[in-house]
């Protein structure tokens, strides 16, 4: 790793184009004086947890998000940004800059199938990963994070905490979700750490408010030395459990009584007026109503089962799959169900509103301390909206009606230990106008809002609709800092048993052999130039589901296990040029394109060491 003259020149050129003062342009690869280093931009990266594509005002939502809307007016919207399908997968790619299979999160956590123990399926960030925080710290940046980590629990055999991956200061929720956003932890719990030491949240803790205060404290602690900082605000909001303090808890009372379709269609109309989607965009209408669960096949769950997966369908004699799930329309709900369902969304909206308030506090602090003009700010969600079925796929009527009882209803969203979720249908609203929700391979799962504001930028620039990916964020941070990621090839290391080179594709970083950053910096794109070619195809696999884009971005092939996907196990095909809502499967009309894309996906799986499970078991 070294400081790059060419990268710094790119930053300087970008700064000149947008009016940034004092961008550093080192004359050589030698470390520059401290004063010059201080002129490099700060980086504030803000990640929401399970926020849907259309939840914030700048992307068409009705929830009040004035601070993010102001950031959008001063910056730029990127409307074709993509992430992993679930939290840890995205976070692994953000930190490492490359595909999650290569760095230990082939699936979120350790798999419970035949892939358990395979390389790349450790369930935490493994030693083959780079860390953008370490690279930035080595390059002269302070590095801070507060919030969700989800890449290692800090115990033997469970991966490392953020301090061991280059974060100078960190306060982290180590697992994927909090028991309670108010921090009530059982005695002896090891879910939170600060700088590598297990800690317990204290009095006055509410996750979003606390992480903001902590990050501001970290930034202020070293501000006097003039070094730039990388601050990672890894909020856990609006991930379940649905909880938020007043006044946000009561603010949205009655706003969602009209139900799913009314809210979703209003969002879509606003998105069209804002230019987020074209006026003739055909949104996905949501799953069809299924009042009863479809049954599993007769052999499902038995040793005789031959499950349909992404490589074996009906044509290969595979026909088994699990049960479906109950999905109801608003009109089919009882009055009590509607009462509970509307309340869930009210609480969710309050969480998003509170999140926006805290983002505003962060940005205002930068302004108050004179750092705003020299700070690059990026905001996004880690994946699509969380649509976990409230009762695991069964009819949630009993749960919803119980939650509508006066004594229970009055406590919903308050400081209590309860895993309250808003369910599939509200997640479809959050994901509008796209198909499906978190955990799927469709756009509603892997497309998220992205807002970028360059240092010194004050006026909104035109919407960018080019395909971008979360690993591009990593490359962008390094380019802004004028830091080149490692690229010296590692020496071959043949496996005695197989002869396979265990260092194939790796580069040298200190004493380790690691996978290089495969994303491409967004800076050229933000300047109006094409983005550089990425190191890996635009494709993914998780939980046995898969997708792959054509090189020109027009076509997308998607595989989903039945009964959510086709019962014959075929790959679906969508023409994103006319159908980004993924309404019309055109696979039967273009078998040649499907074949090419599946071949491309198979090549991707070989490159990253991905293994398709014998029985796909989607995130839910």
């Amino acid at each position: 790793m070294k400081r790059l003259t060419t990268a710094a020149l790119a930053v300087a050129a970008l700064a000149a184009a947008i009016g940034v003062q004092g961008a550093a342009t080192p004359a050589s690869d030698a470390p520059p004086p401290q004063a010059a280093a201080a002129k490099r931009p700060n980086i504030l990266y803000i990640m929401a947890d399970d926020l849907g594509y259309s939840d914030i005002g700048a992307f068409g939502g009705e929830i009040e998000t004035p601070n993010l809307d102001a950031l959008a007016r001063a910056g730029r919207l990127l409307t074709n940004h993509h992430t992993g399908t679930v939290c840890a997968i995205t976070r692994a790619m953000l930190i490492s800059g490359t595909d999650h299979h290569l760095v230990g999160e082939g699936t979120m956590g350790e798999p419970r199938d035949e892939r358990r123990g395979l390389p790349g399926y450790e369930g935490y960030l493994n030693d083959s990963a780079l860390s953008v925080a370490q690279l930035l710290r080595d390059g002269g940046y302070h590095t801070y994070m507060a919030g969700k980590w989800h890449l290692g629990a800090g115990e033997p055999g469970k991966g490392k905490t953020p301090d061991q991956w280059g974060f100078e200061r960190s306060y982290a929720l180590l697992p994927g979700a909090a028991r309670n956003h108010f921090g009530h932890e059982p005695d002896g719990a090891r879910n939170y750490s600060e700088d590598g030491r297990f800690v317990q949240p204290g009095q006055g803790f509410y996750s979003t408010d606390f992480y903001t205060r902590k990050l501001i404290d970290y930034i202020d602690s070293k501000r006097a030395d003039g070094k730039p900082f990388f601050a990672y605000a890894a909020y856990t909001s609006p991930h379940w459990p649905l909880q938020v303090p007043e006044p946000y808890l009561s603010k949205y009372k009655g706003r969602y009584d009209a139900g799913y379709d009314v809210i979703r269609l209003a969002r879509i109309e606003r998105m069209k007026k804002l230019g987020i989607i074209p006026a003739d965009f055909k949104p996905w209408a949501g799953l069809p109503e299924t009042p009863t669960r479809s049954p599993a096949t007769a052999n499902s769950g038995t040793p005789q089962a031959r499950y349909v997966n992404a490589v074996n369908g009906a044509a290969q004699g595979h026909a088994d799959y699990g049960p479906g799930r109950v999905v109801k329309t608003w009109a089919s709900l009882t009055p009590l169900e509607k009462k509970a369902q509307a309340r869930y969304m009210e609480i969710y909206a309050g969480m998003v509103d509170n999140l926006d308030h805290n983002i505003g506090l962060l940005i205002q602090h930068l302004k108050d301390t004179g750092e705003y003009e020299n700070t690059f700010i990026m905001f996004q969600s880690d994946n699509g909206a969380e649509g976990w079925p409230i009762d695991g796929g069964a009819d949630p009527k009993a749960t919803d009606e119980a939650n509508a009882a006066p004594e229970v209803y009055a406590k919903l969203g308050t400081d209590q230990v309860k895993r309250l979720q808003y369910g599939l249908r509200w997640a479809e609203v959050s994901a509008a106008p796209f198909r499906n929700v978190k955990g799927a391979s469709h756009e509603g799962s892997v497309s998220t809002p992205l807002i970028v504001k360059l240092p010194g930028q004050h006026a909104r620039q035109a919407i960018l609709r080019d395909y971008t990916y979360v690993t591009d964020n990593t490359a962008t941070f390094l380019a802004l800092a004028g830091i080149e990621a490692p690229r010296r090839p590692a020496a071959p290391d043949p496996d005695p048993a197989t002869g396979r080179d265990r260092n194939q594709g790796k580069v040298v970083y200190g004493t380790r052999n690691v996978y290089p950053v495969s994303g491409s910096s967004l800076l050229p794109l933000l300047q109006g130039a094409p983005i550089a070619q990425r190191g890996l195809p635009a494709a993914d696999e998780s939980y046995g589901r898969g997708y792959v884009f054509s090189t020109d971005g027009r076509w997308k092939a998607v595989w989903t296990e039945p009964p959510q996907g086709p019962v014959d196990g075929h790959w679906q095909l969508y023409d994103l040029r006319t159908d980004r809502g993924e309404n019309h499967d055109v696979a039967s009309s273009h078998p040649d394109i499907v074949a090419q894309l599946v071949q491309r996906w198979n090549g991707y799986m070989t490159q990253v060491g991905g293994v398709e499970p014998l029985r796909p078991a989607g995130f839910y």
Side-chain angles (χ1 to χ4, degrees):
M1 186 277 298
K2 64 178 181 178
R3 293 282 302 280
L4 251 197
T5 301
T6 53
L9 286 172
V11 175
L14 176 62
I18 62 174
V20 178
Q21 301 299 314
T25 309
S28 72
D29 289 343
Q34 186 65 44
K39 295 179 182 178
R40 289 185 290 164
N42 306 310
I43 300 167
L44 172 60
Y45 179 65
I46 306 166
M47 181 180 277
D49 195 351
D50 291 357
L51 181 84
Y53 189 85
S54 65
D55 278 332
I56 65 174
F59 276 75
E62 74 292 331
I63 303 171
E64 295 179 32
T65 54
N67 295 294
L68 284 169
D69 298 349
L71 184 66
R73 288 193 298 272
R76 197 164 203 175
L77 303 184
L78 284 76
T79 60
N80 197 11
H81 188 62
H82 290 75
T83 65
T85 60
V86 293
C87 314
I89 284 175
T90 294
R91 293 161 199 271
M93 294 193 288
L94 168 76
I95 297 298
S96 70
T98 194
D99 188 84
H100 58 102
H101 295 89
L102 297 172
V103 295
E105 290 283 358
T107 189
M108 184 167 68
E110 194 172 13
R112 290 171 289 183
D113 55 33
E114 70 279 0
R115 297 175 297 174
R116 187 184 183 97
L118 294 181
Y121 290 90
E122 291 86 354
Y124 52 81
L125 202 63
N126 66 29
D127 282 342
S128 291
L130 280 168
S131 167
V132 67
Q134 189 65 60
L135 290 168
L136 288 167
R137 188 174 181 179
D138 289 349
Y141 272 67
H142 290 303
T143 53
Y144 311 125
M145 81 154 284
K148 178 170 164 177
W149 179 237
H150 207 185
L151 296 175
E155 296 175 314
K158 295 184 178 181
K160 303 171 184 174
T161 47
D163 57 295
Q164 297 173 287
W165 285 105
F167 284 98
E168 183 179 342
R169 298 298 313 276
S170 60
Y171 193 104
L173 171 68
L174 299 175
R179 293 170 177 266
N180 183 290
H181 282 290
F182 291 92
H184 299 307
E185 292 287 308
D187 291 340
R190 294 189 167 193
N191 291 325
Y192 292 87
S193 74
E194 184 166 27
D195 302 333
R197 300 182 302 275
F198 293 116
V199 294
Q200 296 279 31
Q203 292 296 317
F205 182 95
Y206 177 71
S207 63
T208 313
D209 299 340
F210 179 85
Y211 296 145
T212 301
R213 294 194 301 269
K214 184 62 71 172
L215 203 57
I216 287 173
D217 287 346
Y218 289 161
I219 292 169
D220 283 352
S221 67
K222 296 292 180 69
R223 189 159 54 86
D225 66 13
K227 289 173 63 174
F229 63 78
F230 170 68
Y232 176 25
Y235 291 111
T236 51
S237 182
H239 193 293
W240 55 260
L242 298 182
Q243 293 174 314
V244 69
E246 294 288 8
Y248 306 96
L249 182 60
S250 300
K251 182 173 181 178
Y252 290 88
K253 287 251 185 193
R255 302 265 191 109
Y256 296 99
D257 291 352
Y260 317 125
D261 290 341
V262 171
I263 304 300
R264 183 178 60 84
L265 292 174
R267 287 188 177 195
I268 290 167
E269 285 307 305
R270 283 191 294 270
M271 296 174 87
K272 291 179 177 180
K273 290 178 180 177
L274 290 169
I276 305 298
I277 57 176
D280 62 351
F281 190 98
K282 298 298 187 294
W284 191 55
L287 286 171
E289 184 168 38
T290 52
T292 58
R293 300 187 78 169
S294 60
T297 57
N299 284 334
S300 180
T302 73
Q304 292 75 38
R306 301 188 71 194
Y307 293 103
V308 177
N309 65 21
V311 295
N312 292 309
Q316 290 77 32
H318 291 252
D320 290 307
Y321 51 85
R325 59 189 176 187
V326 171
V327 180
K328 297 191 285 190
T329 62
W330 187 259
S332 295
L333 303 182
T334 67
L336 287 178
E337 287 179 280
K338 289 179 180 179
K339 178 182 177 181
Q341 283 283 317
R343 185 62 182 139
Y344 303 157
M345 188 61 192
E346 291 169 5
I347 301 165
Y348 178 89
M351 293 179 74
V352 175
D353 194 322
N354 171 265
L355 171 66
D356 178 83
H357 167 73
N358 277 277
I359 291 170
L361 293 178
L362 273 178
I363 292 173
Q364 187 60 49
H365 187 73
L366 296 179
K367 292 177 178 179
D368 293 344
T369 56
E371 297 290 350
Y372 178 76
E373 290 298 314
N374 193 40
T375 300
F376 173 87
I377 304 175
M378 177 181 280
F379 167 83
Q380 72 166 92
S381 180
D382 62 347
N383 45 244
E386 164 71 271
W388 195 299
I390 290 171
D391 276 4
D395 189 344
K397 179 180 178 180
T399 297
D400 286 347
E401 292 195 337
N403 283 337
E407 65 279 8
V408 178
Y409 183 86
K411 296 179 181 179
L412 294 179
T414 62
D415 183 0
Q416 58 182 322
V417 180
K418 185 170 183 179
R419 181 170 147 166
L420 185 66
Q421 302 150 238
Y422 74 164
L424 174 63
R425 285 303 196 190
W426 285 122
E428 289 181 338
V429 173
S430 290
F434 299 132
R435 181 180 186 129
N436 232 317
V437 296
K438 174 181 174 180
S441 291
H442 297 98
E443 293 292 279
S445 168
V446 297
S447 292
T448 73
L450 183 69
I451 304 174
V452 171
K453 194 200 79 67
L454 295 162
Q457 182 180 351
H458 301 104
R460 181 171 181 168
Q461 297 185 29
I463 292 173
L464 278 174
R465 307 184 191 279
D466 302 66
Y467 174 93
T468 59
Y469 198 53
V470 65
T471 55
D472 299 339
N473 300 0
T474 318
T476 303
F477 302 154
L478 296 176
L480 282 161
I483 293 172
E484 181 186 19
R487 59 183 182 183
R488 178 165 62 90
D493 179 23
D495 186 321
T498 65
R500 182 183 67 87
D501 181 7
R502 290 176 288 205
N503 281 343
Q504 184 174 1
K506 292 185 179 181
V507 296
V508 177
Y509 177 58
T511 60
R512 296 191 297 125
N513 298 314
V514 297
Y515 289 104
V517 172
S518 58
S520 295
S521 170
L522 298 176
L523 293 186
L525 190 63
L526 296 169
Q527 292 177 278
I531 195 169
Q533 182 175 347
R534 297 176 182 86
L536 290 169
D540 198 11
E541 176 278 330
S542 65
Y543 296 96
R545 298 171 175 177
Y547 72 84
V548 58
F549 288 87
S550 61
T551 54
D552 63 1
R554 174 180 174 181
W555 301 99
K556 181 183 176 186
V558 173
W559 193 88
T560 307
E561 83 284 355
Q564 285 76 30
V567 295
D568 65 358
H570 79 262
W571 280 76
Q572 296 167 292
L573 180 68
Y574 301 102
D575 184 350
L576 300 188
R577 183 181 60 180
T578 58
D579 184 26
R580 195 177 169 203
E582 297 172 301
N583 294 288
H584 306 293
D585 175 14
V586 295
S588 61
S589 301
H590 301 281
D592 53 335
I593 295 175
V594 174
Q596 292 168 12
L597 289 177
V598 171
Q599 183 178 19
R600 179 174 166 84
W601 183 81
N602 286 329
Y604 154 79
M605 290 287 278
T606 298
Q607 279 184 272
V608 301
V611 178
E612 176 70 7
L614 297 176
R615 180 181 185 176
F619 172 58
Y620 302 121

